Amino acid sequence: MKLGMIGLGRMGANMVKRLSKGGHECVAYDVNQESVKALLQPGVTGASSLKELIEKLPKPAIVWLMVPAAFVDQSLASLEPLLSPGDIIIDGGNSYYHDDVRRGNELGARQIHYVDVGTSGGVAGFDRGYCLMIGGEAEIVRHLDPIFATLAPGNGSATPTIGRTAGSSTAEQGYLHCGPQGAGHFVKMIHNGIEYGIMGAYAEGLNILHNANIGKQEHEADAETTPLRNPEHYQYEFDLPEITELWRRGSVIGSWLLDLTAGALLSDPKLEKYAGRVSDSGEGRWTINAAIDEGVPAPILSAALYARFSSRGNAGFGDKVLSAMRHGFGGHVEKDAKPKGE
């Protein structure tokens, strides 16, 4: 099939390469034309404008947007006048599913089809493939199946689940039509909310291991700090690169996220190149919003999201309020902070 790809960032460019390798033709566009030039090869042509991109595509045109969620509406506003009835827009970024429902209705009024695809795979997707969570009209999703099948990891990426009938679903290949418009990004939203929780659990556990030598450190005896009751219980100097490497083998907490953690610790055991400021791109917040709307408890995912806020210094004023109250009722004086990372 032939399609246009708008947005050639960390994932979009590799998706073009994987599609081209799989026999599809791609017309690539990015506001940074150097990114376009870097992709040119047999099966991949470039476009210097959205108009040129649409002109190079057969009808009905298939256009995949791989841009940040904040720029999807802006991109659609520029694209829509160039589109014709029957054309298909795919949003493969991390849009809020509410926006998918709205966009689907707006484009549908012009008989333009809209498909939302939650895409997971990161920068390793070219080699590993992409897990695709798809929302949209069933007939259109079926039409796009060759594209999804090429981008997805394929049958050999995981062992079959015991009890499943082989070939019963495209989920076995790494892509799934989850429901109508918005369903793909809803599933991806929850996927990323879970990701926050898993990442947070690894980080907290490794931090406890990192500080298991606290019994070897000298501590001031004062009224402001609870003393370490049994320092002899905390005399360990754990080798975190070795422990994470160990956990990758046969452990129930093995995962690709653990693989990445082990690699990071191997190259930088103290993680000195990182400041510890963790961003969130929206999906965690939207997951918690959905949990509230549904009346479903999600304390672990909520805590993981709030930990990210704290990592960016957003707890600073609240911490000052706590310190002020302690000083007010008990005359407690703040202790000097330990150097960051220790």
Side-chain angles (χ1 to χ4, degrees):
M1 300 183 79
K2 188 171 184 177
L3 71 154
M5 178 70 74
I6 298 174
L8 307 176
R10 289 171 295 183
M11 291 179 68
N14 279 341
M15 291 171 73
V16 168
K17 293 176 184 177
R18 187 173 176 92
L19 287 165
S20 175
K21 182 180 178 181
H24 300 278
E25 294 181 70
C26 295
V27 182
Y29 172 77
D30 193 279
V31 291
N32 180 1
Q33 283 294 296
E34 292 302 313
S35 298
V36 176
K37 293 176 184 177
L39 276 179
L40 298 180
Q41 61 185 46
V44 181
T45 57
S48 59
S49 67
L50 295 178
K51 183 174 183 294
E52 182 182 357
L53 179 138
I54 295 300
E55 289 174 347
K56 287 186 174 182
L57 295 174
K59 290 295 184 179
I62 302 171
V63 180
W64 190 304
L65 293 175
M66 208 65 196
V67 300
F71 296 101
V72 173
D73 282 327
Q74 178 181 326
S75 299
L76 287 175
S78 300
L79 263 177
E80 191 172 349
L82 306 172
L83 300 175
S84 304
D87 288 348
I88 302 169
I89 296 291
I90 305 167
D91 177 12
N94 282 327
S95 288
Y96 191 24
Y97 78 98
H98 288 190
D99 293 328
D100 293 319
V101 175
R102 169 179 56 80
R103 292 166 187 154
N105 289 333
E106 292 172 352
L107 291 170
R110 287 197 52 207
Q111 299 179 46
I112 297 168
H113 305 285
Y114 179 85
V115 177
D116 56 287
V117 180
T119 308
S120 182
V123 294
F126 173 69
D127 295 315
R128 290 168 52 94
Y130 301 90
C131 178
L132 305 174
M133 296 146 266
I134 307 163
E137 304 157 81
E139 181 180 350
I140 300 302
V141 172
R142 281 194 296 270
H143 174 68
L144 298 171
D145 188 84
I147 294 173
F148 299 141
T150 299
L151 288 171
N155 280 320
S157 60
T159 57
T161 298
I162 297 173
R164 279 186 66 95
T165 302
S168 61
S169 168
T170 60
E172 298 167 22
Q173 300 177 51
Y175 68 101
L176 182 68
H177 181 209
C178 299
Q181 287 161 344
H185 279 145
F186 192 105
V187 174
K188 178 58 162 42
M189 173 181 77
I190 304 305
H191 166 285
N192 282 25
I194 293 171
E195 178 186 296
Y196 283 25
I198 295 172
M199 292 172 69
Y202 281 135
E204 290 182 10
L206 289 169
N207 197 25
I208 295 169
L209 290 174
H210 175 72
N211 286 284
N213 64 353
I214 192 171
K216 293 183 176 182
Q217 301 171 17
E218 291 189 10
H219 302 276
E220 295 180 32
D222 58 56
E224 298 304 318
T225 307
T226 300
L228 183 62
R229 186 179 298 273
N230 297 109
E232 67 275 15
H233 293 168
Y234 298 94
Q235 299 287 319
Y236 303 110
E237 298 285 352
F238 288 120
D239 188 330
L240 297 190
E242 288 297 290
I243 289 171
T244 50
E245 190 66 24
L246 168 70
W247 286 349
R248 294 181 61 225
R249 290 163 171 79
S251 165
V252 297
I253 62 168
S255 72
W256 185 37
L257 287 172
L258 181 61
D259 296 345
L260 297 174
T261 304
L265 288 168
L266 179 64
S267 63
D268 183 9
K270 294 187 177 180
L271 302 179
E272 292 177 331
K273 70 175 72 169
Y274 300 98
R277 178 183 173 87
V278 187
S279 298
D280 72 288
S281 54
E283 300 84 6
R285 304 183 191 208
W286 304 334
T287 296
I288 304 310
N289 289 343
I292 292 169
D293 287 344
E294 296 174 7
V296 173
I300 295 170
L301 305 190
S302 299
L305 174 64
Y306 289 129
R308 294 192 176 203
F309 295 165
S310 182
S311 79
R312 303 200 294 267
N314 294 337
F317 185 76
D319 291 340
K320 290 180 180 180
V321 172
L322 291 173
S323 190
M325 286 188 287
R326 290 190 79 244
H327 183 262
F329 68 69
H332 300 286
V333 179
E334 287 184 327
K335 300 291 293 182
D336 292 335
K338 290 173 63 177
K340 192 169 184 180
E342 294 189 3

